[in-house]
Amino acid sequence: MNIAFTTKGTDWKDAMDPRFGRADYILVYNETEDTFSSFDNRAISGTAHGAGPQTAQQLFEMNPDVLITGNGPGGNAAAALQRSQMKIFIGAGSMTVREAYEAYKAGKLNQA
Amino acid sequence: MKVAIASGKGGTGKTTLSTNLASYLAQDHAIVLTDLDVEEPNSGLFIEKTLKYEQKRSRMVPVWESSTCTLCGRCQQVCNFHAVIKLGREIMVFPELCHGCYACSELCPHNALPMQPTPMGTLTASAAGGFDFIESRLDVGQEQAVPLIAQTLAHVDEHYGDEVIKLYDCPPGTSCPVIESIKDADIVILITEPTPFGLHDLSLAVETARKLGKEFAVVINRHGIGDDGVAEYCSREGIKVLAKIPNSRKAAELYSNGELMYPHIPEIAQQLEQVSQYIMGQMNGGEA
């Protein structure tokens, strides 16, 4: 499984970013190979409009099986992500990446 | 002569001034008052009127034609607002984000994004007591005010000549809808209240008017409350204060009942006369 997180950094110990469209990074953990890949999304802060759809488009191309985030994608981004098979889990906005992963594995996160 | 009544801060008296001034000036002049606050038009609440006509208004947005699309992605590259994105083998259009610039449609090599009208609001024209009244109202759920404001201004220009004084009740703030509302105005009247909040937002509105190179002046509403900050600011910046509308319980009561104030409060009629003289001065070449 490939699991994507919206984060403030690129390591297990880094904080999750509760925002979807304006998240600093998208971090993808490949469970099979135990590796990370990431996308630096910080340029989005210069975008006045449509951050949600743009990040959704980026995530769509990274094609993870699962997204773990905080508040959850807004209406436009959610409409875009419905086109994918991705499962979305929310409520991990104040955790670290490791805590969010463990909460997901323990079934403690709600599906959006 | 086009006179935009704007404020920066909301709730400082744009509509009070617009409606009272329209009725006051209409005693001697041809007037059309237009409510450009299309997200929440309220001038009509204070005006007795008879409907003349109503028009549905649309704006143009792209619609994806999958049969001709080659999924080249040019559309999402040229859209500054991320209103068009490519998701796998599909192009998604977000009409609420679209600013109607036609870039995706015109630059698509295969004409796969033709522009089509989508409803956005309603324009109504009414005969009020002695003047004409135009109001545009966005449909519920529509997010973009600018296209409807632009169409409303064009409608007023088409139907009323230069001999008519055109008053615009503008939206609050200093963002795109306000810029659209005041950019073609000959003069901008900024109405504020004499409080720190009023002063803060007035200074932003002044910066906006200066940036646009507009002739502008200030009217102070609810004069008597707050502090001297606005008066001191205007004096320091060399900004003309045209009138000071006195704060009174009577004015608040009339407002609450949806009535005009100047017929009942002579001091307000006097202040409107000063605004009128300024407008007449500007019409006669700029010396007020």
Side-chain angles (χ1 to χ4, degrees):
Chain A
M1 292 264 277
N2 287 331
I3 300 170
F5 302 84
T6 56
T7 64
K8 295 282 195 187
T10 56
D11 194 77
W12 285 119
K13 66 175 176 10
D14 288 319
M16 292 286 290
D17 194 326
R19 303 167 300 174
F20 176 77
R22 294 181 184 278
D24 284 352
Y25 294 90
I26 300 170
L27 184 64
V28 179
Y29 177 56
N30 182 324
E31 285 185 307
T32 319
E33 297 174 11
D34 190 24
T35 54
F36 275 131
S37 58
S38 66
F39 175 77
D40 185 343
N41 197 42
R42 287 175 294 178
I44 202 84
S45 65
T47 299
H49 308 268
Q54 193 186 18
T55 302
Q57 202 265 336
Q58 178 61 40
L59 187 64
F60 193 93
E61 292 194 350
M62 296 168 87
N63 197 25
D65 303 293
V66 169
L67 167 68
I68 298 174
T69 183
N71 303 326
N76 288 330
L81 291 178
Q82 272 175 5
R83 263 65 176 179
S84 74
Q85 302 300 313
M86 195 181 312
K87 289 190 172 118
I88 302 171
F89 291 86
I90 59 173
S94 54
M95 302 177 183
T96 64
V97 177
R98 182 176 297 285
E99 287 165 352
Y101 178 66
E102 285 168 359
Y104 160 70
K105 292 305 261 188
K108 289 180 182 167
L109 296 179
N110 290 325
Q111 196 164 348
Chain B
M1 172 61 74
K2 300 175 182 175
V3 182
I5 295 160
S7 70
K9 186 177 177 303
T12 56
K14 288 179 298 299
T15 297
T16 296
L17 180 62
S18 298
T19 52
N20 280 277
L21 188 62
S23 173
Y24 185 83
L25 291 174
Q27 299 172 109
D28 298 313
H29 303 277
I31 301 290
V32 56
L33 169 64
T34 305
D35 195 339
L36 293 176
D37 191 3
V38 301
E39 291 175 87
E40 41 194 355
N42 67 341
S43 276
L45 299 174
F46 301 89
I47 297 168
E48 284 187 32
K49 56 196 181 300
T50 314
L51 183 67
K52 294 207 287 189
Y53 55 86
E54 184 177 286
Q55 299 175 345
K56 295 287 175 200
R57 291 287 170 159
S58 305
R59 65 193 177 100
M60 301 299 278
V61 296
V63 176
W64 184 48
E65 294 277 0
S66 58
S67 57
T68 57
C69 181
T70 62
L71 297 166
C72 70
R74 182 82 178 126
C75 48
Q76 74 170 8
Q77 286 164 9
V78 299
C79 183
N80 265 338
F81 302 98
H82 309 298
V84 184
I85 61 174
K86 178 174 156 243
L87 290 169
R89 302 202 53 77
E90 186 179 353
I91 302 293
M92 271 188 91
V93 177
F94 297 94
E96 319 82 69
L97 293 175
C98 174
H99 284 52
C101 75
Y102 283 65
C104 63
S105 189
E106 293 289 322
L107 295 172
C108 173
H110 305 285
N111 295 319
L113 286 164
M115 299 296 278
Q116 291 182 9
T118 184
M120 66 171 168
T122 306
L123 180 153
T124 55
S126 309
F131 61 96
D132 280 1
F133 175 61
I134 310 277
E135 175 196 276
S136 282
R137 184 179 293 261
L138 275 181
D139 291 340
V140 171
Q142 289 293 315
E143 295 179 18
Q144 287 189 32
V146 170
L148 185 54
I149 293 170
Q151 287 191 21
T152 307
L153 288 169
H155 180 90
V156 172
D157 281 346
E158 270 168 38
H159 289 78
Y160 299 92
D162 290 340
E163 74 286 1
V164 180
I165 299 176
K166 304 179 179 89
L167 298 179
Y168 302 130
D169 184 5
C170 296
T174 51
S175 63
C176 298
V178 178
I179 306 298
E180 187 67 27
S181 300
I182 69 177
K183 71 181 186 190
D184 289 330
D186 299 301
I187 48 182
V188 179
I189 297 177
L190 298 173
I191 184 155
T192 188
E193 60 183 30
T195 63
F197 284 135
L199 172 57
H200 177 268
D201 289 3
L202 172 67
S203 67
L204 297 178
V206 164
E207 273 180 59
T208 307
R210 282 184 174 149
K211 190 95 180 172
L212 292 171
K214 292 294 164 190
E215 169 70 27
F216 69 96
V218 163
V219 169
I220 297 176
N221 192 19
R222 303 193 66 198
H223 178 60
I225 65 165
D227 56 30
D228 294 331
V230 167
E232 285 165 9
Y233 167 80
C234 290
S235 150
R236 194 165 63 239
E237 294 283 326
I239 298 167
K240 193 173 299 178
V241 176
L242 300 179
K244 295 173 179 173
I245 298 173
N247 186 53
S248 77
R249 183 181 173 88
K250 177 81 176 159
E253 284 172 359
L254 289 163
Y255 178 87
S256 301
N257 288 319
E259 289 184 53
L260 295 178
M261 294 171 187
Y262 80 88
H264 306 282
I265 304 180
E267 294 84 352
I268 292 184
Q270 283 165 19
Q271 297 299 311
L272 291 176
E273 178 56 30
Q274 289 172 215
V275 179
S276 167
Q277 283 174 13
Y278 169 74
I279 295 171
M280 298 310 143
Q282 291 296 322
M283 285 173 76
N284 297 328
E287 73 287 354

